Every structure is written in C-alpha cells, then in structure tokens.
Amino acid sequence: MDLKEEGRWGEPKGSSVSILARLEGTEERSCCLFNIFLYLVGLSTSPSAFCLRRRPTPSQTPIAAAVQLHRGVVRMRLLTHNMLSSNIKGVTNGFPLLIEAVKVVEKEVDFNEDFLKNMFVKVEWKALVEASRTLGYTELPESAEASMLDSDEFLRKFHHALLELHLEDGALVCPETGRKFPVSKGIPNMLLHEDEV
Amino acid sequence: MLPKIARIQLMSSHPQVYDPCDDSFALVDALLADRSNLIKHRPSICMEIGCGSGYVITSLSLLLGKEYSGGAYYIATDINPHAVTVTRETLESHGCHAEVVNTDIALGLEKRLARSVDVIVVNPPYVPTPEEEVGCSGIAAAWAGGENGRRVIDRILPVADGLLSDKGWLYLVTLAANNPLELCLEMRKKGYASRIILQRSTEEESLHIIKFWRDSDVLMDANERVTVNKTGNGMASESAAFSPFSIWRRGNQNV
C-alpha cells in the first residue's frame, strides 16, 4: 500500500480531486466522489448526503466489532470440500479429496430452500455422501435425484450435510498422490510447491 | 434506504495485509452502481480472487443481501495466508458467510467450478513494479504487477474465463498503465463484451473498473473479422459496438 500511497507510478491528479482536497482520509474522499456522481445524475439531493453512511456510530466502534467476532463462526463446509480438487501436476483424478478430520464443529445455519436447489445441480452427490460419513453423519441416501428436492425431510438432511458440518482442523488428502492440503482454523490451503505446478 | 456495504469500523487488519484503499472503494462503488442488475442477475456462485482484507467480498455479500432470496455461495481466495484470516474475520464481524481458500488465483477450484461462477470480482496487483517483486511473500504481492502491472492480471484472465458461467460477469480493477484497451481486446477474442463502468482519478492513479460478460455477437464478430471480411455483416458489427468504449476501440482500430 505504501508504494501506491507514495504515487511513484501515479497518474496526473483528476480535477474532481481538487474539490475534495480539504477532506482527509481516502474513505471519505472515495465516498464523496461517489456522492457527487449520484448528485450529478440526480439520484441524490445533496452531494454530501451520503457521506454520513460511513461515519462511525456508537454501535460501530472497534469494541463492538471485537464482541461480534465471537459470534457466528463458520469454518470449512462440505459444500466447499465438494468444490475442491487436487491440481498437482500429473494428477488426472484429484477429486474428491479425502478428509482427515482433527476437529469438526456443527453449527446451525439458516435454512434456504432456493439456495439448496441452486447448489444441488453443482454438487457431486457421491462425494458429499462420503465426506459426510467421514465426519460422522450417515443420514444421506446413497443416490439422489432432482425429484427428491420436493421432500422437506430430504432437504433438511441435505442442508445439514452441506452447510452445518464444518471442518475446523485437519487435512484434505489427494486421492492419487496422498499429498495433504492442510485445513487450519477452517481455511484450506491449496497452494502447491514449485515442483508440483 | 441505502444498500449496506462493509464498514471500515468493522474491518479486521494485519500488518501484512493490504487495507481497503481507493481502488477497493472504486470497485465497491461500481458494484453498488450495478446493484439492481446484480440482483436481477440472480448469481448462484460469486467469487473474489485476491480478497485481501475482505472489504469487497463482504460488500458484495451485503449489497446483494437479503432482498436476493435465492442466496449465493460466496468464495474468496488469496495467496497470502494472513489475508484469508483477515477476510474471515471481516466477514464474521459483518455477519456474512463466504468460503475462504488460501490459494493462488483459483488453484484447486478450477476443475469443479469450471463454467459455474456467475460473478467474479478482482482487484488484482496492478501497480507496475520490477519483475522480482511479483508474487513475493507478504504484502508487496498485493500490489506488485511487474511490467505494466500486467503480470498477474494476464494470469487471472484465462482462469476467470474458465470459471465464468454462460451468464457470468467479471468486474476487474485496472490502472491506465495496465492498458485497459488491450485487455478488452484480448477478452473480446475470447468472446467477451466489455464496458468501463467506472473511472476514477485519485491523487495517485487513474482507475478503471471494467465489466466483462460473454456475448455471442462479439465472438461471431471477432471470428468473422479473422476469417472472411464479408460484406453483409455490417449490421452484426454495429450491434457489437453497443458501448461507448467499443466505439472508441473501433475508432482506434481505424487509425
């Protein structure tokens, strides 16, 4: 960021910037540019009206942020496991990755039928069934088809397996080479070493 | 009633992670300006490549928001392990969900998400720097773009092309020095129409936010240009030139 701030590769200053030269802080400046744009196209009644939106209110102080951090922690869900594969050079079938679970957490997530229907077409069902079994959930049927989405019972099970089982710590293992991709604090690390690319 | 975007007060940070700056604000402002289109677009998978502090992916998730009942699956990637942690914290402090993956561009996701992602947002490392700074560990990777600032952008675009669904949209932050004109032409060869949806001159740089989308007319038009210059395709050429930018581009080609 420092390099950008110094403007070593900077462009000539735009005329709109000079109007705002008295404002300090990039946040307000950026905000105001957008306000002026809205003002000019007639969407706003005042060029400064929208500036208020980023000013801190008592409930938005850093202290409030720290408290919120401890709520609603989501880790790696099986939906994401279903989207990952091993991309190591030479590997032809890097999907699905095996799961080595060290710590698994269950978390309640809002139920959204439309979302589940959207995701159903993207999900590789067999991989989801195997992954959920690895994490100790055995309720999913062996196979599934679109007509089953009409069943509330099926949707609840699908929802639970897809979104509520979270891998917090462990590893994803390439089925072909056994290479481990670590999952730490719920974040998978899919980076490859130079000789694997 | 303003749509919500990420709040600076709730942002997490780390010395090794790029804080939101003019470029991030420009991208989010462009997304806000395009918000009604995004909601109509009904994306089911949204992705940010190079999420850094998480300001953009959090804002995207908030501005699509609850009004969009379908709900999207959000994925954010970054090569910097500190950045993915900071993004996770920023998302959590805003009560948002996105899946965060520590990877290079979309490594490990490309196969399963091929032709599936409806919206990709990218604020790439675009600053022209010496080549050796590109992809180094730590914060410099957040801006170091090598020659013309294009080293990383040129790697991201083919990946984005592979990921985008048929209706997919790509929003890309570029600098005047990155030669946005050339970028649009390259994407045009792959069948993408493009439009600069926001231009902003800050104290240091001239930013362009480009939106790309697949367009069969553009692909046809480009192919026709390459193969035979038919006399009867005048109308097709005109219909592809629907944005002011295309006209400018065509003007340049004639010079």
Side-chain angles (χ1 to χ4, degrees):
Chain A
M1 185 175 73
D2 293 340
L3 291 175
K4 281 188 186 175
E5 298 267 356
E6 284 166 38
R8 270 167 61 186
W9 297 280
E11 297 294 312
K13 289 183 184 183
S15 57
S16 56
V17 172
S18 58
I19 307 168
L20 302 162
R22 281 170 297 135
L23 279 169
E24 287 175 8
T26 52
E27 181 196 344
E28 281 83 0
R29 197 163 55 231
S30 154
C31 185
C32 280
L33 278 169
F34 184 56
N35 294 337
I36 286 173
F37 164 75
L38 286 180
Y39 177 63
L40 290 176
V41 299
L43 288 173
S44 165
T45 49
S46 153
S48 62
F50 289 16
C51 272
L52 292 170
R53 101 190 146 171
R54 280 182 185 149
R55 291 216 175 117
T57 61
S59 65
Q60 297 170 6
T61 57
I63 297 162
V67 173
Q68 289 188 7
L69 274 180
H70 298 287
R71 295 198 281 123
V73 179
V74 170
R75 300 310 188 189
M76 200 197 84
R77 305 180 287 190
L78 291 190
L79 171 55
T80 304
H81 166 261
N82 211 279
M83 299 301 156
L84 291 169
S85 53
S86 164
N87 268 24
I88 300 170
K89 187 183 172 188
V91 168
T92 51
N93 193 10
F95 180 86
L97 297 163
L98 309 169
I99 300 178
E100 274 187 15
V102 174
K103 188 175 175 193
V104 179
V105 286
E106 284 192 31
K107 180 168 156 44
E108 208 171 304
V109 173
D110 289 342
F111 182 81
N112 183 336
E113 198 176 318
D114 290 339
F115 180 78
L116 291 172
K117 286 177 176 170
N118 277 341
M119 286 305 131
F120 182 76
V121 290
K122 319 260 183 198
V123 164
E124 188 81 37
W125 188 259
K126 207 168 172 330
L128 179 66
V129 173
E130 280 172 23
S132 63
R133 284 186 186 159
T134 311
L135 301 192
Y137 183 70
T138 55
E139 301 288 305
L140 285 184
E142 267 323 309
S143 62
E145 50 190 84
S147 62
M148 295 165 90
L149 291 168
D150 295 331
S151 150
D152 194 53
E153 192 196 347
F154 172 77
L155 280 176
R156 294 279 163 190
K157 287 176 180 172
F158 180 39
H159 170 78
H160 181 70
L162 195 69
L163 305 172
E164 297 189 321
L165 297 173
H166 299 206
L167 182 62
E168 169 123 11
D169 280 301
L172 304 174
V173 185
C174 171
E176 213 168 291
T177 63
R179 153 78 144 93
K180 288 184 185 176
F181 297 94
V183 177
S184 158
K185 291 179 186 161
I187 301 178
N189 177 344
M190 300 304 293
L191 289 168
L192 295 177
H193 303 303
E194 268 177 37
D195 58 345
E196 294 172 325
V197 182
Chain B
M1 264 293 289
L2 282 166
K4 283 200 291 183
I5 55 168
R7 293 173 179 160
I8 295 301
Q9 295 82 6
L10 294 179
M11 297 294 297
S12 186
S13 67
H14 185 281
Q16 291 294 309
V17 178
Y18 184 76
D19 282 325
C21 199
D22 287 344
D23 44 348
S24 329
F25 300 141
L27 178 54
V28 169
D29 286 347
L31 294 173
L32 268 176
D34 215 22
R35 177 173 177 262
S36 55
N37 291 327
L38 277 165
I39 290 172
K40 273 186 248 158
H41 191 54
R42 299 189 66 77
S44 56
I45 301 185
C46 300
M47 184 169 183
E48 179 174 20
I49 296 172
C51 52
S53 64
Y55 180 78
V56 177
I57 190 76
T58 304
S59 297
L60 180 64
S61 154
L62 285 170
L63 72 87
L64 272 170
K66 299 247 189 301
E67 281 174 53
Y68 172 42
S69 60
Y73 173 46
Y74 299 91
I75 311 164
T77 70
D78 204 296
I79 195 168
N80 178 346
H82 302 297
V84 284
T85 308
V86 169
T87 294
R88 161 70 44 88
E89 288 166 3
T90 296
L91 284 159
E92 279 167 10
S93 67
H94 287 82
C96 294
H97 295 304
E99 224 64 40
V100 188
V101 181
N102 185 198
T103 193
D104 184 16
I105 304 183
L107 203 63
L109 290 160
E110 284 164 84
K111 198 170 153 193
R112 289 279 296 131
L113 289 180
R115 301 283 271 193
S116 299
V117 185
D118 298 322
V119 174
I120 299 182
V121 290
V122 192
N123 182 4
Y126 56 66
V127 180
T129 61
E131 289 293 316
E132 58 271 20
E133 286 181 30
V134 177
C136 61
S137 61
I139 192 167
W143 66 73
E147 191 184 355
N148 298 327
R150 284 278 295 275
R151 276 287 299 280
V152 185
I153 294 174
D154 289 344
R155 283 183 58 221
I156 291 174
L157 289 181
V159 176
D161 177 37
L163 291 171
L164 283 170
S165 67
D166 287 345
K167 66 167 191 176
W169 293 348
L170 165 67
Y171 296 85
L172 177 73
V173 182
T174 63
L175 202 62
N178 302 145
N179 199 347
L181 169 78
E182 195 181 279
L183 284 172
C184 292
L185 275 174
E186 276 175 26
M187 287 299 275
R188 190 183 170 83
K189 284 182 201 152
K190 293 180 181 155
Y192 288 86
S194 54
R195 182 178 299 169
I196 293 180
I197 55 167
L198 189 143
Q199 275 192 48
R200 178 170 296 168
S201 294
T202 69
E203 281 176 44
E204 298 95 11
E205 50 197 15
S206 168
L207 296 165
H208 301 244
I209 314 294
I210 316 176
K211 178 178 174 180
F212 296 97
W213 65 97
R214 289 186 201 274
D215 188 310
S216 50
D217 284 349
V218 164
L219 191 61
M220 243 162 27
D221 188 39
N223 288 342
E224 279 166 11
R225 270 166 207 261
V226 173
T227 53
V228 193
N229 194 7
K230 292 176 195 163
T231 46
N233 70 352
M235 288 304 287
S237 301
E238 287 308 313
S239 68
F242 44 83
S243 77
F245 186 65
S246 311
I247 292 165
W248 171 41
R249 189 163 63 209
R250 284 160 60 83
N252 275 9
Q253 280 177 343
N254 293 339
V255 171

